[in-house]
Amino acid sequence: MIFILLGILLLTMKLGGVHPVSNWEWFSIALPFLMAICWFELFEPWLGLDVRRQQFRKRQLEARIRHFQNKKPRRQRRGFPFR
């Protein structure tokens, strides 16, 4: 995420004409975007971070389902339905 934010910042500075960045080559501006692609497509699966994140979310969902299954049903009220 930090690579994407850095790339957006450099891109806006290049298009805005900010002095030190406006003279840089376009490859220097595109480098953070290329690093973000490498991170999300190569390093994250290689380190297993995507699998861990999926397992964590699955455990959270299962815990929420168990919580709602253990809740007692609400008692029906008699009389006028709108209070």
Side-chain angles (χ1 to χ4, degrees), residues 16-70:
V18 177
H19 175 61
V21 181
S22 64
N23 296 332
W24 291 1
E25 295 291 326
W26 280 104
F27 179 75
S28 303
I29 306 300
L31 189 62
F33 294 114
L34 294 174
M35 291 172 64
I37 290 171
C38 289
W39 174 259
F40 288 117
E41 295 297 324
L42 299 175
F43 295 122
E44 193 171 275
W46 181 61
L47 295 173
L49 297 176
D50 55 342
V51 175
R52 289 183 199 145
R53 188 176 302 125
Q54 287 175 353
Q55 290 173 349
F56 177 72
R57 288 181 182 163
K58 183 179 178 182
R59 284 192 303 264
Q60 277 185 328
L61 179 64
E62 289 171 351
R64 287 180 68 196
I65 289 171
R66 278 193 308 271
H67 172 73
F68 284 114
Q69 285 176 347
N70 293 336

